[in-house]
Amino acid sequence: MDHGVREPERLGRTRLPDGRLLGWAEWGPADGTPVLLCPGAATSRRLAFGGDAVDAAGVRLVSVDRPGLGASDPAPGRTLTDWAVDIGHLVRERTLRAPLAVGFSQGAPFALALAAHRLVRAVAVVSGSDELAHPRFAHSLNPRARDMVDAVAAGPGAAEASFAGFGGADALWELIITTSPETDRAVYTDPVFRHAFRRAMDEAFARGPAGYARDTVLAMSRWPFDPAGITVPVDLWYGQQDTSPVHSPDLGESLARLIPTATRHLLPAAGGALLWTHAEDVLRSLLAHAR
């Protein structure tokens, strides 16, 4: 199985007002409903989801490399707010009228930042990282995640340097495989999917580890927006078999209470890879908000 991964139909880079280039990849009809994908940790714009369902649903899927990853130029010290500013420019330059957004894993806070800045009509958070530094998780974090949150709180610069020294694509792949349940390993180790996933990770680290390190600092920090202020529809998708230490500790339960427009979808038999195992369900629900 390919689990819905395929080669991009269009690749490019958009110049931002400060001169940086932001890399993107597209699938589906160029005149389709724009859906911005905020990928997971240390993966590039090339890792798609949905396969033929994207074309069938009339979706223009646009995956964007965050600064310092893949084809996007670095932006040292960037914030989630800076990301929203970058995407606001991309939306205008690429004529992405009234887009929707999907945030997978560590991409979740980046997608929610777009919602908080009213750049998108609706968001699907899929196996998303939560606001791990929030006090509501003070006693429920996995020890690995707790150490990362505490390190960022103690000194963001030192923590960022430590994350940069973590290694690279090989080390992160090993971490993903060893912390995933069997239902996810079956997806990740499928030969076709594994090739696409590993290539996306290699591309993400092509400029070095700084982009990944900055993303991780942002993911382990308090968010610069209040989830309770989000006014667009938010679908929270979680698999009950998900064992990732850096996804939501309560599988989105408290986040669903915080976001007044949120709907939580908890799938008993799914794990963290449900962006690829349940892509049609995610897209169908997201597109319903655009009607």
Side-chain angles (χ1 to χ4, degrees), residues 157-245:
E160 189 165 345
S162 175
F163 298 150
F166 172 74
D170 289 341
L172 192 58
W173 170 259
E174 184 64 23
L175 177 64
I176 291 169
I177 292 300
T178 57
T179 59
S180 294
E182 180 56 36
T183 184
D184 288 341
R185 286 197 298 271
V187 175
Y188 297 147
T189 60
D190 173 84
V192 174
F193 187 89
R194 183 183 187 279
H195 173 76
F197 198 177
R198 288 303 309 263
R199 185 179 67 170
M201 294 174 72
D202 288 340
E203 289 184 349
F205 280 99
R207 295 171 179 261
Y212 161 76
R214 187 61 189 169
D215 268 10
T216 306
V217 167
L218 298 181
M220 299 297 158
S221 304
R222 291 299 305 271
W223 294 346
F225 58 87
D226 182 1
I230 292 175
T231 58
V232 301
V234 177
D235 287 326
L236 301 172
W237 291 89
Y238 288 93
Q240 205 156 4
Q241 307 304 314
D242 189 355
T243 55
S244 170

Side-chain angles (χ1 to χ4, degrees), residues 34-46:
V35 175
L36 292 162
L37 173 61
C38 299
T43 53
S44 77
R45 57 184 174 164
R46 285 183 180 269

Side-chain angles (χ1 to χ4, degrees), residues 52-103:
D52 292 341
V54 169
D55 289 321
V59 165
R60 178 185 178 186
L61 181 64
V62 185
S63 181
V64 186
D65 283 340
R66 292 187 285 276
L69 282 80
S72 289
D73 290 337
R78 61 186 166 86
T79 66
L80 289 174
T81 301
D82 294 332
W83 168 250
V85 172
D86 285 352
I87 293 300
H89 184 78
L90 179 74
V91 164
R92 292 187 293 273
E93 288 295 305
R94 297 290 300 154
T95 319
L96 304 174
R97 294 186 179 88
L100 308 165
V102 174

